[in-house]
Amino acid sequence: MTASRSNHRKRVLSGMRSTGKLHLGNYVGALDNWVRMQDEYECFFFVADWHALTTDYADTSRIKENSVEVLLDWLAAGLDPERSTMFIQSHVPQHAELHLLFSMITPLGWLERVPTYKEQRANITEKDLGTYGFLGYPVLQAADILIYKGDFVPVGEDQVPHVELTREIGRRFNMFYGKHRPVFPEPQPLLTPAAKLPGTDGRKMSKSYGNTIMLTDPEPLVRQKLKTMVTDPARVRRSDPGNPDVCPVGDLHKIFSDRATSEKVNVGCRSAGIGCIECKSWAADALVNILNPMQERRKKYEDHPKLAWDILEAGSARARKVAHATMNEVREAMGITQN
Ligand code: TRP
Ligand code: SF4
């Protein structure tokens, strides 16, 4: 007997913390991958607002707004409510119940060893992360994943240890309570091919560096950000040849420009045949090309907010149905049913 769902399209499940509007790095790092997965898999995508609370619990004034901004960017990027179930974590309270039960069987040592936990405790000094909830972050994530019995979890490299811990928690649950019939499958991480997107200062694009290009940035702002973007530092004068392989603008071309433009950049930069200003304007063209259709789609939902709420509501209802069924199995396996 196995806990996996045979005769189904494989199920994919992933989440994103509710950080507000998304930037191009979120798109290239995760979202574009999710959009493609919709063709092949049954997809569940949710905004992890409870996870955002683990580090930002003191001020909750923007929590709902931040979740909705993420959802709007998902819809803008092409997640399709006809094919994907989209919802907000806190709208499915079953995650919390499973998290509680998992917390009973998760050894502390497993959590203290999680790399993201150790790193963030060491590096984030401006917030107090010495809370129960922050240590339990990966237990909540395990509940998020296992409650849908997902087969695959598309995540970036930093999240792979969380998926591994999820498998261990599921295994431990099965060992205690599922000897005859395992409740949980073992979901696999699907590593997102990491095209690290540089921000305008050449470091990895990240909200905390203030070097982002947002999915909602209007064309003039995109062009202006590109103008100030750093380039190959060896190319000081127009007559100096440069190297697109060490230039953040060169990276943008590799990711977003068509082959002919990339080739023109490659040859022109190395021979000083083109200038950086010209090269950056082509990169801006490529970005605007990608962002324009997204912004048009987003506008449709912004103009009719009810559309987005209906999508959320339908998604939450579907998610709750699946989560409810899993929780029945869980309580049954543990012998804590109500009748
Ligand atoms: N921890 C993930 C992140 O920070 C977000 C997340 C929460 C998640 N629950 C999840 C990702 C479940 C995948 C599956 O990016
Ligand atoms: Fe970078 Fe383009 Fe200038 Fe070359 S020409 S250094 S790729 S901006």
Side-chain angles (χ1 to χ4, degrees):
M1 191 87 67
T2 105
S4 74
R5 303 156 44 264
S6 45
N7 308 326
H8 283 81
R9 269 205 302 170
K10 294 279 187 198
R11 185 175 285 172
V12 152
L13 174 287
S14 198
M16 224 181 252
R17 291 166 61 117
S18 49
T19 50
K21 291 193 168 85
L22 301 179
H23 54 72
L24 264 176
N26 302 126
Y27 178 70
V28 171
L31 197 46
D32 64 338
N33 198 33
W34 292 8
V35 171
R36 280 194 301 272
M37 291 184 137
Q38 301 182 106
D39 299 328
E40 206 179 323
Y41 300 104
E42 184 193 11
C43 294
F44 284 75
F45 298 120
F46 69 94
V47 185
D49 57 345
W50 281 338
H51 275 97
L53 279 178
T54 58
T55 51
D56 295 276
Y57 50 84
D59 177 7
T60 53
S61 56
R62 290 178 54 90
I63 189 163
K64 196 164 169 185
E65 187 184 334
N66 283 346
S67 294
V68 172
E69 293 289 5
V70 170
L71 178 85
L72 288 174
D73 276 334
W74 286 0
L75 293 167
L79 286 190
D80 171 7
E82 300 284 318
R83 287 181 292 162
S84 291
T85 301
M86 286 174 252
F87 60 98
I88 296 179
Q89 183 182 32
S90 66
H91 296 189
V92 188
Q94 287 89 344
H95 291 222
E97 185 183 354
L98 189 57
H99 166 250
L100 175 100
L101 296 175
F102 282 169
S103 78
M104 304 299 170
I105 64 168
T106 306
L108 268 182
W110 288 9
L111 299 177
E112 286 158 351
R113 277 196 298 272
V114 170
T116 48
Y117 175 76
K118 289 197 292 193
E119 276 160 30
Q120 296 189 0
R121 280 308 301 271
N123 296 330
I124 301 181
T125 48
E126 73 278 9
K127 294 178 217 165
D128 177 13
L129 298 182
T131 60
Y132 178 53
F134 185 68
L135 178 68
Y137 186 110
V139 184
L140 181 56
Q141 187 162 350
D144 297 338
I145 297 169
L146 290 174
I147 209 162
Y148 301 101
K149 302 190 177 184
D151 297 293
F152 298 112
V153 188
V155 283
E157 211 166 343
D158 63 315
Q159 295 291 314
V160 170
H162 292 180
V163 182
E164 257 143 36
L165 193 73
T166 297
R167 294 148 57 92
E168 273 162 40
I169 292 174
R171 226 179 277 145
R172 194 163 159 89
F173 184 98
N174 287 342
M175 178 187 78
F176 287 135
Y177 317 115
K179 283 204 184 65
H180 305 297
R181 197 161 74 93
V183 175
F184 295 113
E186 295 201 4
Q188 306 288 335
L190 269 190
L191 201 59
T192 311
K196 280 273 174 333
L197 192 75
T200 48
D201 61 358
R203 292 185 289 177
K204 181 182 180 228
M205 190 179 286
S206 158
K207 216 174 170 183
S208 50
Y209 293 152
N211 63 358
T212 56
I213 294 167
M214 307 303 287
L215 300 186
T216 41
D217 280 350
E219 176 166 350
L221 184 56
V222 173
R223 294 198 180 276
Q224 189 206 322
K225 284 182 176 177
L226 257 287
K227 277 191 188 127
T228 58
M229 186 152 177
V230 303
T231 55
D232 175 0
R235 196 165 186 210
V236 183
R237 279 172 299 261
R238 168 70 176 77
S239 52
D240 296 334
N243 178 359
D245 291 338
V246 300
C247 172
V249 180
D251 289 336
L252 290 188
H253 279 295
K254 280 178 205 131
I255 298 170
F256 297 109
S257 289
D258 57 43
R259 191 169 300 166
T261 309
S262 289
E263 200 39 42
K264 203 159 61 169
V265 167
N266 196 26
V267 174
C269 176
R270 289 173 202 279
S271 61
I274 60 170
C276 290
I277 295 174
E278 196 178 8
C279 177
K280 287 172 156 187
S281 77
W282 299 335
D285 292 342
L287 293 189
V288 166
N289 256 332
I290 297 220
L291 295 180
N292 259 343
M294 289 193 206
Q295 293 174 1
E296 263 163 46
R297 231 175 287 149
R298 198 182 209 274
K299 189 162 183 316
K300 185 179 91 187
Y301 292 105
E302 280 171 343
D303 292 347
H304 307 280
K306 178 145 189 324
L307 276 180
W309 279 110
D310 286 349
I311 289 168
L312 262 186
E313 212 164 296
S316 309
R318 280 206 54 199
R320 276 194 298 265
K321 213 169 133 202
V322 178
H324 177 81
T326 304
M327 284 318 296
N328 280 344
E329 278 182 65
V330 164
R331 288 189 220 105
E332 179 96 16
M334 294 180 75
I336 47 176
T337 51
Q338 284 166 12
N339 46 36

